Amino acid sequence: MISKRVRLAWRAGCGLLLTISLVGLLVSDTGTSGRPLERPNSLDVAWSFRTSGRALDVSRLPATVSDRMLAIPQDGKVSVVDTRDGRSLSTAGSSADRFKPIGFSGGVMLAVEEWFGLGGKTVLNAYDPATGRKLWHKTASPTLRKGKEDAWRGEAPFLLDPGPAIELADGRLAGVAPRTGAVTWSKRTPCKQSGRGDRGLPPSPSTVATTATYIVVLKGCPDRTLELEAVNAKDGASVWTRDLGRVRDSVKSSAVRGVIGVRLDNDLRLFAESGEQILRRKADRKSDLWPMGEARGVVYLSEAHIGVQSQPGAFPSNALHAVRVDTGRTIWTRPQGPMANNALTSEVIVGEVDVAGAYVGDLRWSPGDARLQGPGASSLMDLAGGRSASVPWPVAGTFVGASGDLLIVRSEEKDGTRYTALRPSHRAVDAKRPAALGGVGRLDWPDACGLVSAELLTELGGTYVKLPVSSSRKVLGTKLPRPSVCRFATESGSDDDIFSVTVRWVARDAKAAETYATSAIPWGCDPPLGGCVTAEIGKPQRGVYLYTYRTGLEQHPVAHATVVSGRYVFGISAGNNEARSQRLIRRVAAHLAEQVDPSPHA
C-alpha cells in the first residue's frame, strides 16, 4: 500500500521539482529571433494577477503550476490562470472545510475537498480549466471493503501528461481517463518471482517515480533481484524492464523529464525514458547525486554533499555536473552554494540563491536586524556552464513555481494577494551597473549615514553619533562605495534614542520601487503560523508605512517603517516599540520620504 505520509512526501518532491523548474524561451533586449540568445542576467515582470483576500497559510494551501496554467487556492475557491499572459480562465468553488488544488494532468485540474470532524470525508475532483465545470469526483475509501476494490484509496494522485494515475483501495496502481474519471487500467506491482503473499518493495517516493508519460517502479524483495519497470500511463502496459541486481542495503529512485535515476547502495545508474542506460558510476557515501534533467544530448546532475559544512575557501556543499548522454563523459562541473535547487530549461539553468533576510514564505522577517531585508534572487547559467551574477527579483515574495519560461512569485498586499510572472532576459550592464543590482549603478546607492541631516538629528534631541555598518557595503555580491546601513545612537546610550537607516533597494524606477516595497511589507503575517507578529500597519503619508515586528529569541517588538522615495526603498528601525521610539521612527520616515533623489555623495 502507498501510505498517506509517503504519497505526501512524493507530492512534496514533485512540487519541489515544479517550483524550481523553468522551460525557457529567453528573450534579449531587442527580441530578435534567429540568433543565439545572450546569457540572461535580468528578470523582468511579464504580468501580474491579483486575487482578493489573503491565503495566510501558504504552506498548507500552495498554488500549483504546469507548463501553461496556474491554480490559486483562496477563500474556498480555486482560480485558474493562463500563465502565457496572466489571463483568468475559470474559477471553481467549494463549501468544504479545505479546498486545495493538486495540479494538472491530461488537460484537467485536480483538486481535493476535505471535510473535518465527525462524518469527515475527502473527495478528489477534476475540473475543466477553461470553464471551471466539475467533470467527475471520487470519494476516498482508505480501508478496503468488499465490492469497493476499485475505489480511490485517498492518496495524492500521480500527475502525468496523458492523465492521472491513482492507488486503488486494494493497492493496485490505476490509470484514470482525465475527462470522465473512469479507470482505464490497473496493475499490481509485486516483486520479481514473488512468493505467496510476498508483495515486495512497497511503492514509495524511494521506489516509484514519474516522467512525463511513464510511471517508473522499482520491484524487488530482500535477497532477490531488483527490477526497474517503466509503465505506460496511457494503458498500463509494461514498456521496458531492467535488471539491477540484488537489494543489499538501500535503494532509491528519482525521475525528471527524460531521465531516470536509480541508486542501489552506492551504485548510481541513469536511464533515458527509452530504457537505455546513460551511465553507471559509484556514488560517494557522503554525497547524494540525482538527475536534474536532459537537454540537447546532455544530462545535468545535482550533487548534494551530505554533512559537509561550507567554509570560506572550502569546496561548496553542492555541485552541478553536465554529462554527455552518448558517452557518459562529464563535460563540466560547477560548484554550487548551500542552496542546491536547480532547474533546467531549453536555454538556461536556474538556481536558488540564499539571500540574507530575503522575504521567504510566512517567515518574512527573520529574527535579527531588519537591515538584512532585501529581495530574493536567482542564479542564471547557460547550458555550457557559464554563470551570470545573482539576479534579484523585482518584487519581494515567495517563489511559487515556474510555468514555461516564467518564474511565478507570490506577494501579499494590503487587500489581496498578487502573483507576478518574471521572465529571464538580457540587459547590457557593465562594472558600474552590475546585474546583481538589477542593472542599477553602484554609485546610485546613497550613503545611509548621509540620508539623515544634521538638522534632523538636532531636532530629535541628544548628541547623535553615526555608526556606519561596514559589512553593508556588499549587496548580492556587489561591493558598494558607501555603506547601505547606518546606526544612530546618542552619547547617553539610551535604547529609546537608537535607530538605524537602511537603503533596502534601489530600483530602476519609482513604479518598481513601490511594487517591491508594498510586496515586502508583512500584511498577512499570522502568529499561529510561526511567522512574524505585526501591529496594525499605518500609512500617515504617501510612501510611508509604519508598523512593528518582533525580533530575537525573546520576540521583542520593534518600531519599524518602510519608505518609498522615488526609486529608493528605505527601512528605519528603532530599538524598541515604546511611544518615544514610534515618534522617532515616524519623524525619520517623513524626512526620508521627502528625499526623492538623494545625493549618492551626501
Side-chain angles (χ1 to χ4, degrees), residues 496-513:
D496 292 337
D497 298 325
I498 296 174
F499 68 96
S500 66
V501 172
T502 304
V503 183
R504 291 183 57 190
W505 193 244
V506 179
R508 297 175 190 164
D509 52 52
K511 181 178 179 181

Side-chain angles (χ1 to χ4, degrees), residues 13 28 36 50 147 149 205 229 238 373 380 391 393:
S28 65
R50 190 173 183 276
E149 291 82 2
E229 179 181 22
S238 178
Q373 298 308 317
L380 302 178
V391 182
W393 300 346

Side-chain angles (χ1 to χ4, degrees), residues 7 32 57 89 121 124 151 201 220 352 360 364 380 407 448 450 475 487 502 522 541 564 574:
R7 189 68 87 237
T32 303
D57 193 354
L89 295 177
K121 62 179 180 178
L124 176 66
L201 292 173
E352 288 188 64
V360 178
R364 304 181 194 176
L380 302 178
L407 291 81
V475 175
R487 295 192 177 100
T502 304
Q541 67 187 75
V564 185

Side-chain angles (χ1 to χ4, degrees), residues 41 389-390 392 429-442 478-479:
N41 61 5
S390 299
V429 296
D430 52 34
K432 294 182 179 179
R433 298 189 300 134
L437 298 179
V440 173
R442 296 185 304 111
T478 299
K479 188 174 182 180

Side-chain angles (χ1 to χ4, degrees), residues 378-399:
S378 295
S379 68
L380 302 178
M381 180 187 297
D382 62 28
L383 299 184
R387 194 197 318 265
S388 294
S390 299
V391 182
W393 300 346
V395 296
T398 302
F399 187 63

Side-chain angles (χ1 to χ4, degrees), residues 99-260:
F99 185 44
K100 58 184 179 181
I102 300 298
F104 299 89
S105 180
V108 303
M109 182 193 73
L110 298 174
V112 167
E113 295 176 300
E114 293 178 289
W115 283 268
F116 305 134
L118 294 176
K121 62 179 180 178
T122 301
V123 179
L124 176 66
N125 301 292
Y127 299 88
D128 183 339
T131 64
R133 180 174 65 90
K134 184 185 293 188
L135 300 173
W136 51 264
H137 71 275
K138 292 182 181 294
T139 302
S141 296
T143 57
L144 178 61
R145 298 176 183 177
K146 187 174 182 180
K148 297 290 185 179
E149 291 82 2
D150 287 344
W152 172 52
R153 183 167 176 76
E155 319 300 346
F158 294 99
L159 306 179
L160 301 103
D161 287 355
I166 62 174
E167 183 191 8
L168 301 181
D170 63 359
R172 286 174 293 153
L173 291 176
V176 176
R179 302 292 297 186
T180 66
V183 173
T184 56
W185 59 265
S186 65
K187 186 180 186 70
R188 294 193 181 278
T189 56
C191 58
K192 187 177 181 181
Q193 298 176 345
S194 59
R196 182 181 180 87
D198 191 353
R199 300 180 66 89
L201 292 173
S204 74
S206 296
T207 59
V208 178
T210 60
T211 65
T213 56
Y214 295 161
I215 302 173
V216 185
V217 182
L218 281 173
K219 302 189 300 182
C221 295
D223 299 323
R224 295 187 184 177
T225 300
L226 183 70
E227 187 177 67
L228 181 68
E229 179 181 22
V231 177
N232 193 322
K234 292 182 178 179
D235 55 16
S238 178
V239 181
W240 51 260
T241 59
R242 295 291 180 270
D243 248 326
L244 301 178
R246 292 186 179 275
V247 179
R248 297 182 295 277
D249 183 20
S250 62
V251 62
K252 185 178 179 182
S253 67
S254 175
V256 292
R257 286 181 180 268
V259 188
I260 301 159

